Structure formats: structure tokens, C-alpha cells
Amino acid sequence: MHIYLSEAMTEKQAVPKPTPAELNLLKVLWQTGPATAKQVHAAAQAERPDLAYATVLRQLQIMHGKGILTRDESQRSHVYAPAQQQDDLQTNLLKDLIQKVFAGSGKALVMAALRGHVSTQERKDIENFLNEDEA
């Protein structure tokens, strides 16, 4: 198996923040695991039936070039996989959001998220989580 990293990944650079379209394809790859462009296209069509195969292929190639994806070129059909685990990318995006929008305050982010966006059951789950953390 030959997994090729783009130049961006071989240097010690941070992976660039994905665009909304790139995040949609990452979601597919996180759900399915490593996949060919054809497999990604088929899975992505569930949400967007109008999505063209050529668009998906080109987007995957761009994402590989940016270092967002790795690509296994050992088979005729290249297999793409996320360069970062979902949790790692979410953490990095959240840190960036906290810095840019909430002046570095995690508390401000949580308070904004809780205002009108949390059901009664979710509030109970959060309270239980916080109580477990104290124990």
C-alpha cells in the first residue's frame, strides 16, 4: 500500500480549515472510512442528488493537494481518507472559533450555545456531565 501525502502534509504545517463543501465530503469519509471517488460520490448523492461525479473527484483532488486528505495510489482507483480524525478537526475548528468570535473565552462560547439552543433533556445531560466531572 502506498499512501501519498500532499506537500502540505509533508511539511509541519497545520491542515487548512475546510470549506463547507469540503466538510460535507469529510463527513462522508468519516462515516464510510477510506473510499474511492466513486464511493464518496454515491454516498454524497444521498444528500445532494444533483452532485456530479466530476465535481466530487475534483474536490477530493483539491482536498488532497491542501493536505486535508491522504490518497492511496496503490490501486487503479485511488482511495481517499481524512488526514485528521473527526474529533481533532472539530477541536481545532472550535479553538479557532473561540479565539475569533469569543475573544478566547470558552465560557462565552458555552453561554452563547446554551441560550435558546438546548432542550430540557440536553440541559440535564450537560448537568450530569458537569457533575460527573466534579466527582
Side-chain angles (χ1 to χ4, degrees):
M1 179 189 306
H2 300 86
I3 296 179
Y4 293 91
L5 301 175
S6 69
E7 286 183 33
M9 287 300 293
T10 56
E11 300 170 11
K12 298 285 182 188
Q13 293 179 334
V15 174
K17 184 168 71 169
T19 66
E22 291 169 344
L23 274 173
N24 287 335
L25 294 182
L26 279 169
K27 286 179 198 173
V28 169
L29 286 166
W30 285 321
Q31 289 172 351
T32 65
T36 64
K38 184 177 181 180
Q39 292 166 327
V40 173
H41 176 249
Q45 277 193 310
E47 284 188 31
R48 289 207 35 214
D50 61 326
L51 191 59
Y53 170 78
T55 302
V56 171
L57 176 61
R58 183 69 187 128
Q59 191 68 53
L60 292 172
Q61 292 168 337
I62 290 169
M63 291 169 71
H64 174 257
K66 289 175 151 184
I68 296 171
L69 298 178
T70 60
R71 181 170 65 198
D72 178 356
E73 299 178 357
S74 64
Q75 303 294 319
R76 186 174 190 280
S77 294
H78 298 169
V79 176
Y80 293 90
Q84 282 187 302
Q85 295 294 319
Q86 186 173 6
D87 288 348
D88 293 340
L89 181 62
Q90 288 172 339
T91 299
N92 290 337
L93 292 175
L94 194 54
K95 284 179 185 176
D96 187 49
L97 179 70
I98 290 169
Q99 288 302 318
K100 289 180 178 175
V101 179
F102 297 97
S105 171
K107 176 185 172 188
L109 168 78
V110 171
M111 297 304 288
L114 291 176
R115 259 185 247 114
H117 300 287
V118 179
S119 70
T120 303
Q121 181 57 49
E122 289 172 327
R123 186 174 298 275
K124 288 178 185 175
D125 292 343
I126 292 167
E127 287 173 6
N128 289 338
F129 173 77
L130 293 174
N131 289 334
E132 287 174 12
D133 203 35
E134 291 176 359

